[in-house]
Amino acid sequence: MKPTRKISADVVVIGSGPGGATVARELSLLGKSVILLERGADHKFYGNLPGCALMLEKLGFGTTMEGHPMLRAMTTGGSSMLYGGAAIDPPPWLKKNYEIDLEPYARMLKEEIGIKPTPDHMIGPKARRIMKAAHELNISWEPMNKFIDHDRCKQKCPECFYGCKTGAKWTARDFAYEAVEKGASLINKARVEKVKIENGKATGVFAETPKEKLDISSRVTVVSAGGLGTPSILLRSGIQEAGDRFFADPLIITYGNAPEDMPDSPKEPPMLCGKLDNADGLLIGDLPEPMPMFLLQMLYLGPGKIKNIRKYPRKLAVMIKVRDEMVGYVKADETCSKHYTQADREKMERGIELSKKILLQAGCDAKSIVTTPPRMAHPGGTARIGQVVDNDLETKIENLYVCDASVFPEPCGIPPVLSILSFGKRLVDTRLKHIL
Ligand SMILES: Cc1cc2nc3c(=O)[nH]c(=O)nc-3n(C[C@H](O)[C@H](O)[C@H](O)COP(=O)(O)OP(=O)(O)OC[C@H]3O[C@@H](n4cnc5c(N)ncnc54)[C@H](O)[C@@H]3O)c2cc1C
């Protein structure tokens, strides 16, 4: 039997993704003692597909019960290790409908991290051709804000999704390591089973590593295990409202062969420019995947599509991110079920039509256009404000908070990291620093 180690801190934070790393960093900067528990390892960076697969749940082949692909990373930094680095402002409806103003926190974060729009010199020939086509169709298309230090970015590198080798891409690992520098204890390969609850108050957590069991006592517990991990922990801790319905922002990519007048350009960074207003439920942008990822998508589509690989250097790629409806559930054992509703499918069709129009306008050969199946990459809304947590992110259990993609009260449809970081800063600023 494994030995049990007892430890204590002011705060225990579960999960080192964008939500957890921010809370741990902000509290450590204030001199609070923090234990940060991360289920995944502190993986090294290899900057290639196998290295990326090691960080992903089930090597990237995780799915919902219905078989829809679902990506999430389990490593220090969570899914931000493999994200595209797009920094989109918090949705305005958070302030309008819920009186949650994340804007001041997002502004501070932009300053601290150095978030800036993609500069002109970073936009490669393919992204530029797509932008020109969108403008010709009167679609507003602009450079995105990015979590990227453009001076350090290699530019002709499509590998943000593998984990950035140059360190140009900011990830939540940066905040987790900063917390450690300020005294936080980061414990990797520590899977939290459940929250300890005594007399209606959270008093710590039970976790397990490959070597030992951990019995951790804390004044405050923050669950930041992500859109799928958090509801499972809450369910195992007796909060039965968690995990009821979720959104996942499905992503589809449409590819087409560039016209002959364009030079080959196999290496361009993803998500540089796009249609960022998603009032119609669609965010659209350029998104070339690295070649092995493109190959995997063609394999998904069937043997007939593999020949597309020969033309990879000529492929223009337009992504469609859909604001899907909240349906399905997450269970205590972390399995999840979700289907696409009729409304989701109609939105996807509209997005695909628009992406094809842009590619045709860019000069792509109509016969070469191919669309990938939807992938779920941003699960959230599983411990919603108004249902599982209040506006200050506290659950009905005193001293038990949630801070990650789970708390969004409505579907997002936008890359959510900047909002999640802002939630983390706000939680410490408006609540935790006053009670600790
Ligand atoms: C391929 C890809 C590209 C993306 N691109 C972008 C982008 O460009 N911009 C953007 O804003 N967003 C992007 N996203 C989404 C973004 O990465 C996620 O929404 C974000 O990381 C969620 O943050 P989080 O804190 O909620 O949870 P996560 O990042 O999921 O972190 C949760 C952490 O908790 C740990 N954990 C889970 N269960 C337990 C447990 N029981 N005990 C201990 N630890 C546990 C996990 O291992 C994980 O490290 C992308 C996602 C993917 C997959």
Side-chain angles (χ1 to χ4, degrees):
M1 220 174 67
K2 286 181 191 173
T4 300
R5 182 158 63 108
K6 289 191 175 204
I7 41 178
S8 63
D10 290 331
V11 183
V12 60
V13 180
I14 307 165
S16 65
T22 307
V23 172
R25 177 223 193 205
E26 297 294 313
L27 288 171
S28 303
L29 290 172
L30 292 172
K32 308 295 174 197
S33 66
V34 177
I35 295 173
L36 179 56
L37 299 173
E38 170 52 52
R39 174 183 184 163
D42 199 38
H43 294 94
K44 269 200 206 159
F45 266 172
Y46 296 101
N48 54 27
L49 188 63
C52 154
L54 284 179
M55 295 193 231
L56 282 165
E57 180 184 32
K58 296 185 181 160
L59 300 174
F61 293 99
T63 63
T64 64
M65 287 181 206
E66 295 76 9
H68 298 303
M70 167 75 85
L71 289 172
R72 68 165 170 158
M74 290 189 175
T75 186
T76 314
S79 291
S80 74
M81 297 313 293
L82 310 172
Y83 76 155
I88 306 292
D89 283 335
W93 47 259
L94 272 172
K95 186 171 173 189
K96 197 163 155 241
N97 301 352
Y98 302 90
E99 294 177 7
I100 294 174
D101 187 6
L102 295 183
E103 205 271 331
Y105 301 103
R107 210 177 324 118
M108 278 188 257
L109 285 156
K110 282 181 189 169
E111 191 66 32
E112 287 170 27
I113 295 173
I115 295 171
K116 292 196 187 71
T118 305
D120 197 58
H121 73 267
M122 288 282 302
I123 304 174
K126 288 178 173 175
R128 200 172 289 285
R129 175 64 72 112
I130 293 170
M131 178 152 64
K132 181 167 172 281
H135 287 165
E136 285 162 3
L137 294 167
N138 286 325
I139 300 168
S140 119
W141 200 270
E142 50 188 304
M144 288 189 206
N145 274 333
K146 298 283 289 190
F147 283 95
I148 287 182
D149 177 348
H150 295 108
D151 296 332
R152 287 167 80 188
C153 180
K154 253 170 55 186
Q155 295 185 30
K156 287 191 176 163
C157 163
E159 288 160 9
C160 296
F161 297 123
Y162 289 160
C164 174
K165 273 188 290 191
T166 65
K169 186 180 80 168
W170 179 92
T171 68
R173 194 174 273 196
D174 298 0
F175 274 4
Y177 285 174
E178 203 179 331
V180 171
E181 267 170 37
K182 295 289 168 198
S185 305
L186 167 65
I187 308 180
N188 283 98
K189 299 189 188 173
R191 180 181 178 273
V192 170
E193 173 58 24
K194 62 180 180 178
V195 178
K196 292 200 290 190
I197 298 168
E198 292 164 40
N199 301 321
K201 291 186 184 177
T203 58
V205 301
F206 293 113
E208 192 167 342
T209 73
K211 289 192 185 135
E212 60 185 357
K213 293 189 174 190
L214 297 170
D215 176 348
I216 303 177
S217 301
S218 60
R219 290 162 66 193
V220 163
T221 300
V222 182
V223 190
S224 300
L228 301 181
T230 286
S232 310
I233 293 170
L234 296 180
L235 284 165
R236 295 198 292 267
S237 309
I239 299 186
Q240 297 307 329
E241 300 82 1
D244 161 39
R245 300 183 288 131
F246 66 103
F247 64 85
D249 295 352
L251 166 82
I252 296 167
I253 304 179
T254 306
Y255 282 95
N257 292 352
E260 293 304 322
D261 65 325
M262 270 197 73
D264 281 2
S265 174
K267 294 190 172 183
E268 290 190 27
M271 298 173 88
L272 298 178
C273 309
K275 172 185 104 52
L276 307 181
D277 173 4
N278 81 334
D280 60 353
L282 297 170
L283 187 138
I284 304 191
D286 53 72
L287 196 155
E289 298 181 279
M291 206 276 270
M293 288 186 165
F294 174 71
L295 171 64
L296 276 177
Q297 292 307 310
M298 294 306 113
L299 286 170
Y300 268 127
L301 290 174
K305 300 291 179 200
I306 296 172
K307 61 179 186 298
N308 274 299
I309 207 70
R310 281 186 286 119
K311 292 278 184 189
Y312 172 77
R314 306 207 52 72
K315 294 284 177 196
L316 299 188
V318 175
M319 71 153 191
I320 305 131
K321 191 164 279 301
V322 175
R323 188 178 193 232
D324 58 332
E325 295 191 306
M326 294 228 205
V327 293
Y329 53 86
V330 180
K331 295 207 296 188
D333 66 4
E334 301 192 17
T335 53
C336 65
S337 164
K338 182 168 163 66
H339 63 275
Y340 295 120
T341 64
Q342 181 65 23
D344 295 340
R345 292 198 179 279
E346 281 168 15
K347 240 182 254 178
M348 287 178 193
E349 276 313 311
R350 257 195 303 118
I352 291 169
E353 280 315 306
L354 194 52
S355 63
K356 285 182 179 169
K357 233 170 124 178
I358 294 169
L359 289 176
L360 290 174
Q361 182 69 28
C364 291
D365 168 11
K367 286 203 284 298
S368 71
I369 290 180
V370 58
T371 298
T372 69
R375 277 167 271 178
M376 302 187 185
H378 306 169
T382 42
R384 287 189 285 291
I385 291 167
Q387 167 141 349
V388 175
V389 294
D390 62 19
N391 270 27
D392 292 321
L393 309 189
E394 193 171 21
T395 65
K396 63 185 180 187
I397 310 290
E398 206 177 315
N399 297 334
L400 177 59
Y401 294 81
V402 175
C403 184
D404 60 20
S406 314
V407 302
F408 285 106
E410 293 179 17
C412 264
I414 56 164
V417 168
L418 185 53
S419 304
I420 297 171
L421 303 181
S422 306
F423 267 123
K425 245 186 188 310
R426 175 179 172 272
L427 172 60
V428 174
D429 184 45
T430 61
R431 178 56 78 96
L432 299 187
K433 79 176 185 198
H434 302 290
I435 61 169
L436 285 164

